[in-house]
Amino acid sequence: MLAETWPPSFCQTKTCISTIPSKFSIHGLWPQNNSSPQPRQCTTTKILEKELKPLKPRIANVWPSLTGNNFGLWNHEWTVHGTCSTMAAFDYFKLALDLYAKSNIKDLLQKKNITPGKGPINRKDIEDAIKVATGGLAPQLSCDQNSGNLLEVRLCFDTSTNPKYKNCSTNTNCPLNNVYLPL
């Protein structure tokens, strides 16, 4: 599951860096399984900055820490989620970058006239706009419970061969009609 954050929503609930990106950014790549809750912290392996050096410009562009410490975020995501992926750190981060590049969620929403600052939005309209890129397969949405702001879009993949989209569990905490995408 690739989790992508809408920074303006995230930064309404947290103290963020001064320049807030105006595109969805990677929150994490989370291995899933079919029989139990999401696996977490499978080993205590840490990543070394030198392991990510060839990918660092790409990672910094699309996977920034909104609160300021990029390597701290990347290390956290690796420790909590990546260690359960059965991949080397480089391969885990490269896969996240490659999956992110498959779809531009902001562009998909704009093609359906869903733009930041407009609202309220019907949740189904957001899901349907994203399904255009996933071949009709459902994303998972996460919203802030107080404001109804869209916090994350999560896309699910089958990575057993060539990564391809698959349906995410449709569990969402977003309201049906009053979802917002703030500027």
Side-chain angles (χ1 to χ4, degrees):
M1 177 182 283
L2 180 69
E4 297 185 34
T5 299
W6 179 242
S9 293
F10 177 86
C11 293
Q12 286 188 2
T13 63
K14 306 275 189 232
T15 302
C16 290
I17 56 176
S18 59
T19 304
I20 300 170
S22 61
K23 64 182 178 184
F24 282 86
S25 61
I26 298 174
H27 172 173
L29 180 62
W30 305 335
Q32 306 288 300
N33 61 35
N34 295 323
S35 61
S36 64
Q38 178 182 7
R40 297 173 61 88
Q41 297 176 313
C42 295
T43 71
T44 57
T45 307
K46 300 273 187 211
I47 54 172
L48 304 173
E49 277 195 79
K50 68 180 181 180
E51 292 177 90
L52 301 183
K53 190 172 184 176
L55 300 173
K56 195 170 181 181
R58 279 181 69 198
I59 296 172
N61 183 42
V62 299
W63 199 336
S65 170
L66 299 173
T67 57
N69 182 342
N70 284 346
F71 189 74
L73 170 65
W74 304 333
N75 198 53
H76 168 81
E77 290 299 316
W78 167 253
T79 302
V80 175
H81 304 289
T83 59
C84 298
S85 70
T86 70
M87 301 171 136
F90 178 89
D91 296 330
Y92 166 81
F93 284 95
K94 184 173 181 325
L95 178 61
L97 293 170
D98 292 346
L99 295 174
Y100 177 85
K102 284 181 75 144
S103 61
N104 181 324
I105 292 172
K106 186 176 178 185
D107 284 352
L108 293 172
L109 296 176
Q110 286 178 333
K111 286 177 184 173
K112 295 294 183 179
N113 203 28
I114 300 170
T115 56
K118 276 178 90 174
I121 307 162
N122 185 303
R123 182 184 78 224
K124 186 173 179 337
D125 292 342
I126 295 170
E127 292 167 342
D128 288 348
I130 294 165
K131 285 179 180 180
V132 169
T134 63
L137 300 168
Q140 185 182 84
L141 306 180
S142 177
C143 291
D144 178 73
Q145 293 301 285
N146 294 321
S147 64
N149 288 344
L150 180 65
L151 286 170
E152 287 189 347
V153 172
R154 299 169 182 160
L155 303 173
C156 295
F157 296 87
D158 178 352
T159 58
S160 60
T161 56
N162 186 23
K164 61 183 181 184
Y165 292 105
K166 69 177 196 173
N167 277 316
C168 290
S169 111
T170 54
N171 292 340
T172 179
N173 65 351
C174 295
L176 180 58
N177 293 313
N178 295 317
V179 176
Y180 297 89
L181 196 61
L183 289 171

